Amino acid sequence: MAYSDFTLAGLQEQFGIINQRVILFEKVTPVPPSDYLKRELEEVESLPIRSEKAKSEWIVVPILKELRNRNNRFFTIYSGDNLLADASKGLKGECDFILAKDIGTFDINYPIIQIVEAKKNDLEIGVPQCAAQLVGADIYNKNKGANLSKIYGCVTTGSEWLFMLLEDNCVKINTKTYYLNEVHNILGIFQQIIDYYKSELK
């Protein structure tokens, strides 16, 4: 069993993790994209971006790089790495993207944001996997001595972005889906999340 095998019902049965739809971000302060990111996303419109790999290369990675540069490399980006939290409970497996606080080490340190690329271009399919990775990241952090009260996640098709949060044994799924044509709001949400971790992981 791995992260991708979990269901929301399974997470509740095995770990007592409930889930609910909530408004995660009452107010979003838009962050204007740089000229670099504008050019990258404009290029996407002229390309046949269909596979998950292509979406990663042309959409997701440029957005994550933009955020990393904007925040003086506060976090590092792991792509396709395994996050081993508790193999005996199925909390293991490859993750599309893990954002972790950057302390200059090779190993993953303090995962703060999990990003799942939705299979079959369907956000809902990616929600249970992302939820499981949030549980895994929480256990992973606690094993390293970091007791973060919030772990954020996001499921994306590239054109759609759905944010999630694990807090108090509850996976909170945002009621609003954001679209690539409002990238300023997507950047704004990520910035809000990163600002939270800057205050928590000094």
Side-chain angles (χ1 to χ4, degrees), residues 6-55:
F6 278 97
T7 62
L8 292 178
L11 287 172
Q12 183 169 356
E13 180 180 348
Q14 188 171 347
F15 301 101
I17 303 294
I18 62 173
N19 66 87
Q20 60 182 188
R21 293 271 186 176
V22 299
I23 300 172
L24 284 182
F25 308 97
E26 293 285 350
K27 183 180 179 182
V28 178
T29 301
V31 172
S34 67
D35 290 340
Y36 154 79
L37 184 56
K38 287 179 183 177
R39 287 194 301 270
E40 289 293 304
L41 296 182
E42 286 170 1
E43 187 78 11
V44 167
E45 296 178 5
S46 65
L47 293 169
I49 307 297
R50 291 191 292 267
S51 71
E52 290 169 30
K53 182 176 183 295
K55 289 172 185 173

Side-chain angles (χ1 to χ4, degrees), residues 1-140:
M1 191 170 188
Y3 294 119
S4 58
D5 298 320
F6 278 97
T7 62
L8 292 178
L11 287 172
Q12 183 169 356
E13 180 180 348
Q14 188 171 347
F15 301 101
I17 303 294
I18 62 173
N19 66 87
Q20 60 182 188
R21 293 271 186 176
V22 299
I23 300 172
L24 284 182
F25 308 97
E26 293 285 350
K27 183 180 179 182
V28 178
T29 301
V31 172
S34 67
D35 290 340
Y36 154 79
L37 184 56
K38 287 179 183 177
R39 287 194 301 270
E40 289 293 304
L41 296 182
E42 286 170 1
E43 187 78 11
V44 167
E45 296 178 5
S46 65
L47 293 169
I49 307 297
R50 291 191 292 267
S51 71
E52 290 169 30
K53 182 176 183 295
K55 289 172 185 173
S56 294
E57 293 174 351
W58 290 95
I59 302 175
V60 180
V61 169
I63 288 174
L64 298 183
K65 285 171 61 180
E66 173 101 341
L67 288 161
R68 186 167 187 260
N69 292 333
R70 177 183 172 82
N71 288 280
N72 197 28
R73 302 188 176 185
F74 172 76
F75 64 88
T76 192
I77 305 166
Y78 295 91
S79 176
D81 284 68
N82 286 297
L83 183 68
L84 179 58
D86 191 333
S88 67
K89 296 178 180 178
L91 296 175
K92 61 180 182 178
E94 184 178 302
C95 301
D96 294 322
F97 293 97
I98 301 170
L99 306 190
K101 188 176 188 302
D102 193 343
I103 61 169
T105 61
F106 183 77
D107 292 331
I108 298 171
N109 180 74
Y110 304 151
I112 54 177
I113 306 174
Q114 301 288 318
I115 300 176
V116 171
E117 293 177 326
K119 307 298 185 289
K120 300 179 181 178
N121 219 37
D122 187 339
L123 285 179
E124 296 298 323
I125 293 176
V127 168
Q129 179 179 341
C130 188
Q133 289 179 202
L134 293 178
V135 175
D138 184 48
I139 291 173
Y140 186 94

Side-chain angles (χ1 to χ4, degrees), residues 8 12 17-24 127 163-165 167-175:
L8 292 178
Q12 183 169 356
I17 303 294
I18 62 173
N19 66 87
Q20 60 182 188
R21 293 271 186 176
V22 299
I23 300 172
L24 284 182
V127 168
F163 290 88
M164 300 168 57
L165 165 67
E167 181 180 33
D168 297 328
N169 291 324
C170 178
V171 171
K172 300 175 181 179
I173 305 162
N174 202 24
T175 54

Side-chain angles (χ1 to χ4, degrees), residues 128-170:
Q129 179 179 341
C130 188
Q133 289 179 202
L134 293 178
V135 175
D138 184 48
I139 291 173
Y140 186 94
N141 283 333
K142 287 176 179 174
N143 289 341
K144 283 182 165 282
N147 292 307
L148 295 171
S149 59
K150 298 179 181 180
I151 303 289
Y152 282 90
C154 180
V155 182
T156 182
T157 63
S159 58
E160 300 172 293
W161 297 70
L162 178 64
F163 290 88
M164 300 168 57
L165 165 67
L166 173 63
E167 181 180 33
D168 297 328
N169 291 324
C170 178

